[in-house]
Amino acid sequence: MNLLNIGKQGLIANQNALATTGQNISNVNTDGYTRQRVNFDSLPAYGGVEVTSIDRLADDLLTRQLWSDLSSYNQSSNFSKLTAQLDDLLAQQTTSVSDAMDKYFSSLQNVVDDPVSDPNRELFIAETEALVQRFNNLDANLRIQEANVNTMIDDYTSQISTLSENIADLNDKINIAVAGNKPTNELEDQRDQLVNDLSELVSINVLEEGNKNYSVFLANGQPLVVGATANQLISTPGDSIATERSVKLVIAGNTTEVTDQLSGGKLGGVLQYRDESLNDARDELGRMAIALSETMNEQHRSGIDANNNYGGDIFNDVNAASAQSNRLQSHVANRSSLSSSNVSVENVNLLQASGYELTYGGEGEIRLVREEDGKVFDIDRLTPSTDDRTVTAGTAALWQGNGVSAAGNSETLQFTYNGAPATGGSPDPVESAKDAAAFMNGITGISDVKATTAATISNLTELGSDSGGDTTFDLTVLDDTGVSRTLNVTVPLADGATATGIDIQAAIQQAISNDAANSYTNLSMTNSGNGITITDNSGGNIGLTMTDSGDQVSFSSLDSNGAVAGGAVTLTEGTATASQVATGYISDGKADKNIETLDISSTSGGASAFVSTGSASLITTANNVASTIGNVSQGIADVDEGEYYLDPDKGTLSFQVDGIKVTLKVDGAFVEGDRYSINAVRTGAEDLTRVIQDGDQLALASPVRVSPDPDNNGTGVATVNVTDTSSSAFAVDGELKPPVEVVFDNADPIRYTVYDMSEPSNPVPLDLGDGPLTNQAFTSGQVISLNGYDITIANQPSAGDRFGFEFNKDGISDNRNALQISNLQNTKVVGGSDYQDLYGSLVERVGTTTATAKISTDASKAVMDTTANTKASVSGVNLDEEAARLVQFQQAYQATAQLIRVSQSIFDSLLQAV
């Protein structure tokens, strides 16, 4: 009986082995099938053999490695295919902006060459429209790709959800089979194949739980499958940008945003393409369109057209209200309601081809992240536009002298700084108008401070007795080499006479002429009718010492080094007043105010001399428009690059970085966690339109005509560059207010005066607020900045030469502004790049990315193939091996059957013996 039992056990075991081998052979072409192997075990006490298990020959490490390789390859492959399409789109001549840009500037050159030609003007208008259409069409193609990307995201998320449900279903079936002690090999193969398919779509992590269950997680740890439960991955419109699909995971009815946390697989590849290539291309193309529109418009507005009107816009206004409001979107989860928003382009040179995300944190912490490179701006740490920018030069006061007698003595005034004499060793001493200007120029937010030191003589009366005699005074000045000189001025006065009718200016000029050894071209004198003002235009010191043969009264204004200090000095009988004067303005041009005057009074005689004390501020809240702001609109208006304004109670925020100014207002107050998406340039190419309609509207001529006098003898050549057409000089079409004339004198070295020619029969020196432009030192090629335009006179004019500047009426043949527009082709308009550089850089970037993606795809495929082949060598069915096993188990089966036959024969023989 034991022999029969052994045969029976062997027959069953080998039959199972044959069946398993047959299963392997029949599934040799089944995707995901894992080769199976029968495990035999000997029964004790000659009980025969039994099949303990039928194993799947799967290597867990290789299986997981293949999932990872599948994910990497499919991401690279999808990304490579999409970037190749983008590369073709940007580089093809029929769609390239570069080709249209060349034709645009070529037609512009024709206009430069012949500005009178109507056909040339109309051709330029046509090429302008063609360029606009090329920008629009290319952006439209990019938006088609964006729509395709959205479709792929929808499709991939749907596939992922379906695969997750199927995996969860197989987990359930495997659970039931394990509980019923039934084989699960084929079910596990099916599940692994589904996981393969899932890893092709997105990067995952798989954990094997009890009862052979899989738990599948996204790369960020969010669960897709847990046991028999599958969570759904869905695609929805973006929370901030509705045109960009967002991926979310739904767990127990709760939705979690996971777009930025996904990687790998086809879904990861398409998201990578959107974030790193497609959006970058739209941003760069938009930045280029904005730069073209803004710079072309700005230069075109600096000219006049064929109808004598100032130039309008060639392209659309990049800061149109609709464009500004569309550049910022509020996140759907924000708890505050956005009331209004504006994003304006303030400086195209600083503009970045990137979007931004703005987050309002707790306690006023505001963070802006630039998506292009991840740079973080802490907005709340920028400079507040509400900062008090009052600049104070310390506490300046007068040093009070000791008692001074009325006769036979001189009286001295001296500046002090913070209560001590302002000596050279004191910090930042304000010793003169020139030093005050230097001090101001060293203060953040203040620049271009000019010092004009002047001495004013008025109401000059003979001092002392009425016995007559000449009045004399010493004039201490710097000559034009910077050396201090003292000039003695004698003014003859009759008994009881006053300065009225007396030519004091002639007396001073005579004293200057008497000093033939030195030159004083830095000095100028004007007579306002109320007195003579002597000005040192180099900012040097001017002092007066008044003497009289009667009372011997003298007055001096001295600095800490004993030199005569600058100032305006008014002389009257027995008294004197000095004022320290300098003029300056804020660098943004919003203020043009005098520095607060420090008055010094002196009374002749007695110990009470020089009792006047006080303090002085260079810029005060009264005359500084950049001082503390008291209202929201002013606070926003004053925001400049690197500054911000915040009124959290009124829900208002404004800041400026990277050349864009962002202003947003919410109903109520900002709430912690509020987020906003900012895309200042993304729709620039889409928004680009042609505004100019007629060739006659092309402003090719400069609005300022230069008219050198026909009798000029020098070699001087004058040119004009318009800098600000919004200035009052260009306020009225067809006029230049005022027309001016530059006249050179016969001094050596030569000097010039700029005259206001509003009344040609009565020209007056032009005064732009810093004093009349008279007797100005001339340097060849130096810029003379006037109201909205610059004059440059090169070479060497002669004495008496004149250059007139007036409105360029009917200057249709003038191409000066056309040349300026044409020169923009090679001008570094954005971050050191011209228009073609920007587009070329974009094409180069996309081309490099495409080539790199192709290399990465080939490499990841090679790795994936190696892993797949290695796995196949372990888990795949080898027909030769299975055929050998088939023969092996067949022979074993036949031998076992023979064993049963022998057992039967023995049993029959035993029965016959009985």
Side-chain angles (χ1 to χ4, degrees):
M1 288 297 292
N2 190 48
L3 187 61
L4 180 62
N5 189 56
I6 291 174
K8 176 186 174 183
Q9 294 293 336
L11 193 66
I12 295 172
N14 285 296
Q15 185 182 34
N16 286 334
L18 281 170
T20 300
T21 302
Q23 177 76 349
N24 288 340
I25 293 172
S26 63
N27 284 282
V28 65
N29 295 315
T30 302
D31 289 340
Y33 179 78
T34 301
R35 180 166 63 94
Q36 299 179 18
R37 181 181 63 191
V38 176
N39 293 319
F40 299 99
D41 197 8
S42 175
L43 293 173
Y46 303 104
V49 67
E50 68 175 349
V51 175
T52 56
S53 64
I54 300 176
D55 292 343
R56 297 170 63 243
L57 295 181
D59 187 309
D60 184 63
L61 180 61
L62 288 174
T63 299
R64 294 177 183 278
Q65 182 61 50
L66 181 60
W67 291 337
S68 176
D69 293 345
L70 282 168
S71 180
S72 296
Y73 166 71
N74 280 278
Q75 175 172 355
S76 297
S77 177
N78 225 19
F79 180 71
S80 178
K81 291 175 184 177
L82 292 169
T83 54
Q85 294 175 13
L86 179 62
D87 188 32
D88 290 342
L89 186 63
L90 294 175
Q92 284 180 2
Q93 186 173 3
T94 56
T95 55
S96 169
V97 166
S98 180
D99 181 65
M101 188 76 70
D102 287 339
K103 293 179 180 178
Y104 170 81
F105 278 106
S106 177
S107 65
L108 178 58
Q109 186 59 49
N110 292 335
V111 173
V112 171
D113 294 340
D114 188 4
V116 180
S117 170
D118 288 337
N120 285 348
R121 287 172 173 254
E122 294 303 328
L123 176 61
F124 175 70
I125 297 295
E127 291 297 345
T128 300
E129 179 62 24
L131 178 60
V132 168
Q133 289 300 320
R134 188 62 60 88
F135 270 103
N136 295 162
N137 292 340
L138 182 53
D139 185 77
N141 282 321
L142 295 181
R143 282 182 281 124
I144 289 173
Q145 288 206 11
E146 181 180 58
N148 292 337
V149 164
N150 288 339
T151 300
M152 285 187 280
I153 293 173
D154 291 342
D155 184 41
Y156 293 149
T157 52
S158 177
Q159 291 182 46
I160 290 171
S161 294
T162 301
L163 289 170
S164 299
E165 290 174 359
N166 292 339
I167 291 171
D169 183 58
L170 284 170
N171 273 342
D172 187 44
K173 291 179 179 179
I174 290 171
N175 272 335
I176 295 172
V178 170
N181 199 27
K182 294 180 179 179
T184 62
N185 289 348
E186 281 70 20
L187 293 174
E188 291 181 61
D189 285 345
Q190 293 174 32
R191 186 178 61 184
D192 279 0
Q193 183 59 35
L194 291 176
V195 175
N196 282 356
D197 295 341
L198 185 61
S199 64
E200 291 180 0
L201 295 173
V202 69
S203 180
I204 55 174
N205 293 317
V206 181
L207 296 178
E208 185 170 357
E209 310 290 349
N211 293 332
K212 299 183 179 181
N213 270 193
Y214 277 175
S215 290
V216 182
F217 301 89
L218 295 172
N220 68 336
Q222 294 282 5
L224 268 179
V225 179
V226 178
T229 302
N231 297 316
Q232 189 178 17
L233 203 65
I234 61 173
S235 172
T236 67
D239 289 341
S240 294
I241 306 176
T243 57
E244 288 188 357
R245 303 300 284 179
S246 177
V247 181
K248 298 178 180 178
L249 184 64
V250 181
I251 304 175
N254 297 316
T255 303
T256 303
E257 169 77 51
V258 295
T259 310
D260 295 337
Q261 303 167 36
L262 295 174
S263 63
K266 294 178 181 178
L267 179 58
V270 76
L271 290 174
Q272 180 187 6
Y273 169 69
R274 183 183 71 183
D275 295 340
E276 297 181 9
S277 294
L278 182 57
N279 285 346
D280 177 67
R282 285 203 70 197
D283 285 340
E284 190 61 87
L285 192 66
R287 177 170 72 157
M288 184 179 173
I290 287 174
L292 175 73
S293 178
E294 183 69 6
T295 53
M296 284 284 168
N297 286 348
E298 181 180 6
Q299 186 58 54
H300 190 254
R301 289 191 292 265
S302 297
I304 56 173
D305 64 18
N307 299 314
N308 293 315
N309 296 321
Y310 289 110
D313 288 344
I314 297 177
F315 302 99
N316 60 292
D317 179 6
V318 299
N319 285 326
S322 59
Q324 289 196 54
S325 61
N326 291 334
R327 290 170 179 160
L328 184 143
Q329 292 82 33
S330 177
H331 195 279
V332 294
N334 285 358
R335 287 177 289 172
S336 62
S337 177
L338 185 64
S339 174
S340 63
S341 66
N342 295 284
V343 179
S344 61
V345 175
E346 300 292 327
N347 188 340
V348 294
N349 187 52
L350 300 177
L351 213 53
Q352 299 294 312
S354 177
Y356 301 81
E357 183 175 72
L358 178 69
T359 304
Y360 190 89
E363 299 181 358
E365 293 183 1
I366 309 167
R367 175 160 293 190
L368 182 75
V369 179
R370 189 165 64 200
E371 295 172 353
E372 177 190 22
D373 54 7
K375 181 176 179 179
V376 176
F377 299 86
D378 291 318
I379 301 300
D380 54 295
R381 297 183 184 179
L382 300 178
T383 302
S385 67
T386 53
D387 272 0
D388 186 348
R389 302 178 191 185
T390 299
V391 180
T392 304
T395 301
L398 297 182
W399 175 47
Q400 181 176 335
N402 295 323
V404 182
S405 63
N409 293 280
S410 64
E411 300 170 341
T412 302
L413 299 179
Q414 187 177 48
F415 280 111
T416 64
Y417 181 81
N418 288 337
T423 62
S426 297
D428 297 324
V430 184
E431 297 177 351
S432 66
K434 193 172 184 179
D435 290 334
F439 178 88
M440 288 184 68
N441 285 324
I443 301 299
T444 301
I446 306 296
S447 66
D448 287 342
V449 177
K450 301 172 184 178
T452 301
T453 302
T456 300
I457 308 168
S458 62
N459 299 323
L460 183 62
T461 304
E462 181 184 3
L463 302 180
S465 66
D466 292 335
S467 59
D470 295 339
T471 295
T472 63
F473 59 88
D474 290 336
L475 174 66
T476 304
V477 295
L478 302 180
D479 63 18
D480 56 12
T481 66
V483 177
S484 179
R485 309 289 184 186
T486 299
L487 301 172
N488 181 262
V489 182
T490 300
V491 182
L493 291 177
D495 186 17
T498 68
T500 304
I502 303 299
D503 194 351
I504 303 174
Q505 184 171 348
I508 298 173
Q509 188 62 55
Q510 183 61 49
I512 292 175
S513 299
N514 291 340
D515 187 8
N518 302 298
S519 176
Y520 300 93
T521 58
N522 53 309
L523 300 182
S524 61
M525 285 182 287
T526 58
N527 189 340
S528 65
N530 296 319
I532 305 300
T533 298
I534 314 162
T535 302
D536 183 348
N537 295 294
S538 67
N541 295 322
I542 294 179
L544 295 175
T545 300
M546 189 68 192
T547 61
D548 181 83
S549 57
D551 291 345
Q552 296 293 319
V553 175
S554 65
F555 170 82
S556 298
S557 177
L558 305 178
D559 66 15
S560 60
N561 296 318
V564 176
V569 179
T570 301
L571 300 178
T572 60
E573 184 173 357
T575 64
T577 302
S579 300
Q580 188 76 10
V581 178
T583 61
Y585 53 90
I586 307 301
S587 60
D588 62 8
K590 293 179 180 177
D592 189 359
K593 303 292 185 181
N594 289 332
I595 298 174
E596 183 177 292
T597 298
L598 175 61
D599 291 327
I600 306 170
S601 298
S602 167
T603 301
S604 174
S608 62
F610 313 117
V611 296
S612 175
T613 60
S615 63
S617 296
L618 298 180
I619 301 287
T620 70
T621 56
N623 61 30
N624 178 16
V625 298
S627 293
T628 303
I629 304 302
N631 61 78
V632 173
S633 60
Q634 186 64 53
I636 295 174
D638 277 10
V639 169
D640 205 347
E641 185 70 25
E643 298 179 347
Y644 83 106
Y645 172 83
L646 174 65
D647 189 336
D649 295 331
K650 295 182 179 179
T652 303
L653 170 66
S654 183
F655 61 88
Q656 183 172 327
V657 296
D658 285 349
I660 61 172
K661 183 173 181 178
V662 180
T663 303
L664 60 155
K665 180 171 176 42
V666 298
D667 295 330
F670 292 106
V671 179
E672 181 179 353
D674 283 357
R675 289 189 291 161
Y676 304 89
S677 180
I678 301 168
N679 291 285
V681 298
R682 187 158 299 170
T683 62
E686 178 185 0
D687 295 337
L688 187 66
T689 57
R690 174 176 60 90
V691 174
I692 193 168
Q693 299 295 326
D694 190 338
D696 285 345
Q697 294 176 324
L698 284 174
L700 307 178
S702 171
V704 182
R705 178 178 294 165
V706 182
S707 302
D709 191 278
D711 295 330
N712 285 356
N713 295 316
T715 60
V717 177
T719 57
V720 171
N721 179 42
V722 176
T723 58
D724 183 12
T725 55
S726 65
S727 69
S728 58
F730 306 106
V732 180
D733 281 345
E735 294 185 34
L736 178 67
K737 290 189 172 183
V740 300
E741 188 173 55
V742 178
V743 180
F744 290 86
D745 62 18
N746 58 359
D748 186 17
I750 196 168
R751 304 176 73 82
Y752 68 88
T753 296
V754 182
Y755 287 98
D756 179 344
M757 302 298 292
S758 297
E759 298 181 26
S761 61
N762 183 32
V764 295
L766 183 67
D767 189 343
L768 299 177
D770 291 329
L773 295 176
T774 58
N775 296 319
Q776 303 292 304
F778 173 73
T779 301
S780 178
Q782 184 177 10
V783 173
I784 304 172
S785 295
L786 300 183
N787 187 18
Y789 60 101
D790 292 339
I791 294 173
T792 303
I793 301 177
N795 302 331
Q796 190 61 43
S798 297
D801 283 0
R802 298 168 177 267
F803 295 89
F805 302 88
E806 59 185 352
F807 182 75
N808 188 19
K809 185 177 181 180
D810 297 331
I812 189 171
S813 62
D814 182 359
N815 69 350
R816 284 178 292 163
N817 197 51
L819 279 170
Q820 294 287 79
I821 298 173
S822 180
N823 289 339
L824 289 174
Q825 181 179 14
N826 300 312
T827 301
K828 308 302 182 184
V829 292
V830 180
S833 300
D834 59 33
Y835 308 126
Q836 292 284 27
D837 288 341
L838 291 174
Y839 191 76
S841 176
L842 172 60
V843 174
E844 181 182 1
R845 268 199 322 275
V846 173
T848 301
T849 300
T850 302
T852 303
K854 178 66 168 59
I855 294 172
S856 177
T857 300
D858 292 342
S860 59
K861 186 177 188 306
V863 172
M864 181 187 68
D865 288 344
T866 299
T867 303
N869 291 335
T870 304
K871 183 177 183 296
S873 68
V874 175
S875 302
V877 176
N878 186 311
L879 289 178
D880 291 338
E881 183 179 342
E882 294 302 322
R885 288 184 180 276
L886 185 62
V887 173
Q888 173 189 349
F889 295 134
Q890 180 185 7
Q891 290 176 349
Y893 183 86
Q894 291 172 346
T896 306
Q898 187 63 32
L899 181 62
I900 294 175
R901 186 177 296 112
V902 169
S903 173
Q904 181 66 41
S905 177
I906 292 174
F907 182 72
D908 289 344
S909 297
L910 181 60
L911 289 176
Q912 290 175 3
V914 174

